[in-house]
Amino acid sequence: MKKTDWYKDAIIYQIYPRSFCDSNGDGLGDIPGIISKLDYLKDLGVNCVWLSPVYDSPQEDNGYDISNYKDIYKPFGTLDDFKVMLNEMHKRGIRLIMDLVVNHTSSEHPWFNSAISDKNSPYRDYYIIKKGKKNGKKPPNNWSGFFAEKAWEKIDDEYYYLHLFAKGQPDLNWENPKVREEVKDILRFWLDMGVDGFRCDVITLISKDQRFKSVFPTLAIAGKQYYVNGPRLHEYLHELNKDVLSNYDCMTVGETVLSSLDDAKLLIKPEREELSMVFNFDHTDTDNFFGAKWFYREFKLTRLKKVVDRWQHGLFNCGWNSLFIENHDQRRCVGRFGTNDKELRYESATMLGATYFMLQGTPFIYQGQEIGMTNGDFTAMADLRDVEVKNTYKLAEKIFFLKPLIKKHMFSLTRDNARTPFQWNNQEFAGFSSVEPWIRVNANKEFINAEQDLKNEKSINKFYRQLIEFRKNNEVIKNGTYTCLNKNNNDVYAYKRKLDDKEVVVISNFKNKIIKEKLIDELSNYKLVISNYSNKSNELQPYETRVYINY
Ligand code: ISL
C-alpha cells in the first residue's frame, strides 16, 4: 500500500464518546449516538475523527484502561455498531483514527489477572513486576506517576507492579518482544477493519530505563528521567512502523508529554519512520509553572508567541505540527489564554479559533469547542468524576502547602471541565441524553448549545466552518513560511504566512480592550477574508481577529 500524507490536509474532530451523544437513555454517550451526529460533523466540514477509547474497559480512567483491545465497551455499543459507524464516516469522506492506549492496560485485562495470580504465568513478563526492597516492605524504587500516587502497587508480600497512572492501569513491559507482537496484532486488527490511524496515548513512556533507579529529590512525577523518552523508545516505534504501519495508508499522532522540540523531531522526521505527528503541550503550559497545571500562573501572550514560533520554525520542512487548543484533558479554551467566557464568549472563541487555525500543521477541534462550550459549573467535590482530580485532592489534603493551592483551582483546572455532556439543545439534559448523565450538564446549556448557536447571527460553529473552508486546498496555509510580526507585543498577535508572493496575515487582539493597531494601515491593499467583527478601522475591538490575504 502506498502511503500518502493525507493527514496534512486533515481537519480532525475529537470525540470523547462518553460525553458526545447518548442514544439509548443510560446517561452515557455511545456509538449509535455518534452515528446520529455524523451529518453535523459533515456540515462542520471536518474530514477526520479522533475517537477517544471505546474499547472494553472498567472505566477507571474513562476507557484509558483497556481490558479487551478487540471489543467495544458494552454501554457504548458493539463491534457491529463500530463497523457501521466507520462505514458511515467513510461514506461522508470522514476518516477515523482510534486512540491506542498501549503504555498500560487495565488491571482487569486477562493478561494482568494471569500475571499476578500465577508466578509462572506466560503473562507475568507482560508487565513490570519487581520484588520490593526490605523483604517486600518497600517498593522497588521511589518513582511516582502522573496521578498523584506512588508508581508501585503491592501484589503480595514480595512483589509490586508499576503503574505510571491509576492503580487500575498497570504498565506493559515493552522489553518483552511478545508484548510488542501483541501491540502489532492490535494495530492490524483495527487497520484491517479499515481505520485510518491512531492517536498514541502517552507513547513516550513505553520504554523504561531497566536499572529502575531511585531518584532524588522526589517531586511530582518522580523518576521521569528514567521513563519519559526512555532508551528504546525510537527502536520500538520504528519496529511498529516497519512491521505494521508502513503497510497501510494510515497516520499516527503521538501524545508526547514532557517532550521537547528536539525530542519531537526524532519522533516525526519522515526518514526515521516512526510517527507522523506529535501533540506537544508547550502552549498549554503557558499558564502554569513547571509544566504542572496545578501550579497555575497568569497567561502572557508573549510566552505563547515564543512557543508557537519555536514549533512553527522548528518543524518547518522537517516535520509536521499538530495544532490544538483543547482536548479531553484540558480545560475549555474560552475563558483561557486571557479570554472571556461570558459576554465576549463569541469573540473569544472565534479569535482563538482563527489564531491557531492559520498556522502550519493539522488542526484538531475538540467536541464542543466549535460552539464555545465553557468549563463545567462544578461547585462540590461530588460533582467531579476524574480519577486524576480525586487523587490529587487526596494528596493535597495531606500536604499543607498543596492544599490551598489545589483547593483554589480544583474546579477550574480539573479535566472534567472538558468532559461535561455535549450541549446539543436547551432541553433538560441538553439533548445529550433523556436521563441524568454520568456527569452533570452545565446550566448554561440554556443558551450555549449547538441548536441555538447555529441560529445565532454570531455563530461560533459557522465561524469554524469558514476557517475550515478557507484552509481546504490553501497552499499558503499548508506550505507557506510563518513569521511573527510583533514578538514583543503582549496584547496583539500578528503573524504572516507566505508562499512565493502570496500572503495570509492574521491579526488577533488577545485583550478585552480596544487597541489601535498600526499594522492594519500597512494592509490597505490586502483583502479581509475572515473576521469576527464587521469593523474595518485600525482600532481592534476586544478579542477581534482578522485574516487578510494579498491574492
Ligand atoms: O491530563 C494531564 C494533566 O492534567 C496529563 O498529565 C495527562 O495525564 C497526560 O497527558 C496523559 O494523558 C493521556 O493518558 C492518560 C489519560 O488519563 C489521559 O486522558 C490521556 O490523554 C492515561 O492513559
Side-chain angles (χ1 to χ4, degrees), residues 84-276:
V84 173
M85 175 182 71
L86 181 60
N87 188 29
E88 290 298 319
M89 284 182 175
H90 284 168
K91 271 207 260 176
R92 289 170 178 78
I94 298 175
R95 289 186 159 95
L96 175 64
I97 65 171
M98 303 276 282
D99 218 309
L100 181 77
V101 189
V102 286
N103 172 67
H104 44 266
T105 69
S106 157
S107 55
E108 290 185 24
H109 195 292
W111 299 338
F112 189 71
N113 282 331
S114 169
I116 58 167
S117 53
D118 172 7
K119 281 193 183 120
N120 299 316
S121 157
Y123 296 105
R124 185 84 171 174
D125 197 31
Y126 270 41
Y127 294 89
I128 302 173
I129 295 177
K130 301 233 165 277
K131 272 193 179 161
K133 285 183 181 159
K134 305 225 159 130
N135 284 331
K137 286 202 188 68
K138 290 201 136 191
N141 66 27
N142 64 0
W143 294 359
S144 58
F146 285 75
F147 287 169
E149 282 183 322
K150 290 278 167 222
W152 297 93
E153 186 66 13
K154 244 182 170 200
I155 295 175
D156 52 33
D157 288 346
E158 251 184 315
Y159 287 94
Y160 291 74
Y161 70 87
L162 182 79
H163 63 97
L164 294 179
F165 292 89
K167 288 194 185 73
Q169 294 168 298
D171 281 54
L172 281 166
N173 175 23
W174 278 66
E175 296 284 320
N176 181 349
K178 286 195 193 127
V179 166
R180 306 203 294 276
E181 290 310 313
E182 296 278 10
V183 172
K184 290 177 206 167
D185 182 53
I186 295 165
L187 289 172
R188 287 191 194 101
F189 177 83
W190 293 100
L191 287 166
D192 287 339
M193 201 184 290
V195 312
D196 302 285
F198 299 93
R199 175 267 187 187
C200 310
D201 190 61
V202 290
I203 200 68
T204 40
L205 307 185
I206 56 177
S207 162
K208 278 85 178 173
D209 187 318
Q210 294 300 297
R211 292 169 297 170
F212 291 95
K213 280 192 186 171
S214 279
V215 289
F216 184 81
T218 53
L219 298 171
I221 321 186
K224 56 176 183 273
Q225 59 271 50
Y226 294 120
Y227 56 72
V228 181
N229 298 312
R232 298 182 69 187
L233 172 68
H234 298 293
E235 177 195 329
Y236 294 156
L237 289 177
H238 184 66
E239 184 180 322
L240 292 188
N241 190 306
K242 200 170 56 55
D243 291 357
V244 185
L245 299 167
S246 61
N247 301 322
Y248 298 82
D249 187 20
C250 66
M251 68 85 116
T252 47
V253 49
E255 189 207 22
T256 51
V257 274
L258 304 173
S259 297
S260 66
L261 174 63
D262 287 336
D263 299 324
K265 284 185 187 167
L266 294 177
L267 292 162
I268 62 177
K269 274 188 177 171
E271 64 274 20
R272 294 176 53 86
E273 299 176 314
E274 294 184 24
L275 300 171
S276 318

Side-chain angles (χ1 to χ4, degrees), residues 267-329:
L267 292 162
I268 62 177
K269 274 188 177 171
E271 64 274 20
R272 294 176 53 86
E273 299 176 314
E274 294 184 24
L275 300 171
S276 318
M277 292 188 277
V278 297
F279 286 130
N280 92 85
F281 296 90
D282 287 354
H283 62 301
T284 54
D285 284 334
T286 52
D287 55 13
N288 67 46
F289 289 105
F290 323 119
K293 74 168 177 219
W294 302 106
F295 297 110
Y296 178 75
R297 66 166 158 174
E298 279 304 308
F299 170 76
K300 205 169 158 198
L301 180 59
T302 46
R303 220 180 286 135
L304 178 71
K305 288 178 180 176
K306 250 191 213 153
V307 168
V308 175
D309 284 14
R310 187 164 72 240
W311 285 85
Q312 286 289 302
H313 292 301
L315 293 188
F316 190 70
N317 276 344
C318 78
W320 191 254
N321 272 290
S322 68
L323 309 170
F324 71 98
I325 48 175
E326 281 190 14
N327 68 31
H328 64 293
D329 293 333

